[in-house]
Amino acid sequence: MHVTSRAVCVFCGSRNGHDPSWTGAAEALGAGIADAGWELVYGAGDVGLMGAVARAALGRGGRALGVIPEHLLAREAGRRDLTRFVVTQTMHERKKVMFMNADAIVALPGGPGTLDELFEVMTWRQLGLHDKPILLLNAGGYWDGLVALIDHMIAQGFAEQSFRAFMEPVPTPAAALERLQAHFAA
Ligand code: AMP
């Protein structure tokens, strides 16, 4: 059964990274989000994994909401041909608009910007400000180091054990889509 009123926010790199399988994972996730009838929420850029996830979703006839700050329109090749396109003044507004329009979050491999976005929603969840699922798409074990760092933070007494449960590593796009289906069906 398709659930049409759901939106999935994808955080991911504005670069492709060295392993081509990450682009494949972005494409599979974008296509799967479209096929499920969900809206893709993302950073509106046509570069890197961001571009790949959106092209795949739009190519399958899916809906996409892109949110980009004015100063990144040129640098990240902001796409205006999206179902919904929002230009913000600041990076903070971008994150807020993306988050507010999403029912779940998935982080694909990415760099510092992706981590910034991811940690914001994780710390908000820790503070009880939301209970949206946060999936780490751990394609090729990309996020293993991050999971180890968080375990280290908990072991050393700088975070609650519960923090670990806020981010759910999933190995493949198919596993991410399955987890989202189960969450939305509950
Ligand atoms: P990166 O993972 O570094 O390639 O960045 C991924 C995306 O995150 C890019 O679209 C960046 O513009 C975006 N980004 C980086 N820092 C921030 C921030 N502080 N707030 C919102 N978006 C950001």
Side-chain angles (χ1 to χ4, degrees), residues 40-97:
L40 168 71
V41 178
Y42 84 115
D46 202 20
V47 291
L49 297 189
M50 242 196 311
V53 73
R55 277 193 299 276
L58 294 168
R60 291 285 256 259
R63 294 170 295 133
L65 162 62
V67 187
I68 193 163
E70 205 166 2
H71 65 97
L72 284 182
L73 267 171
R75 185 164 140 191
E76 295 190 350
R79 285 188 69 146
R80 294 168 187 275
D81 60 336
L82 303 169
T83 327
R84 297 197 286 155
F85 179 67
V86 176
V87 179
T88 64
Q89 292 296 310
T90 68
M91 301 295 260
H92 286 109
E93 282 169 9
R94 175 199 230 181
K95 286 191 287 190
K96 188 172 163 190
V97 172

Side-chain angles (χ1 to χ4, degrees), residues 116-185:
D116 174 85
E117 296 168 329
L118 178 63
F119 269 89
E120 185 164 87
V121 296
M122 279 172 50
T123 50
W124 287 350
R125 176 120 188 226
Q126 181 184 35
L127 295 171
L129 298 177
H130 74 91
D131 61 357
K132 300 176 185 182
I134 303 167
L135 308 186
L136 272 190
L137 213 169
N138 196 22
Y142 180 77
W143 292 118
D144 285 352
L146 177 67
V147 174
L149 175 64
I150 288 175
D151 285 343
H152 172 71
M153 281 161 47
I154 293 167
Q156 296 303 320
F158 284 105
E160 297 286 336
Q161 183 65 44
S162 58
F163 192 67
R164 181 66 180 71
F166 297 152
M167 89 193 161
E168 303 172 44
V170 286
T172 59
L177 293 162
E178 204 173 295
R179 174 69 186 89
L180 292 172
Q181 287 282 10
H183 173 76
F184 292 149

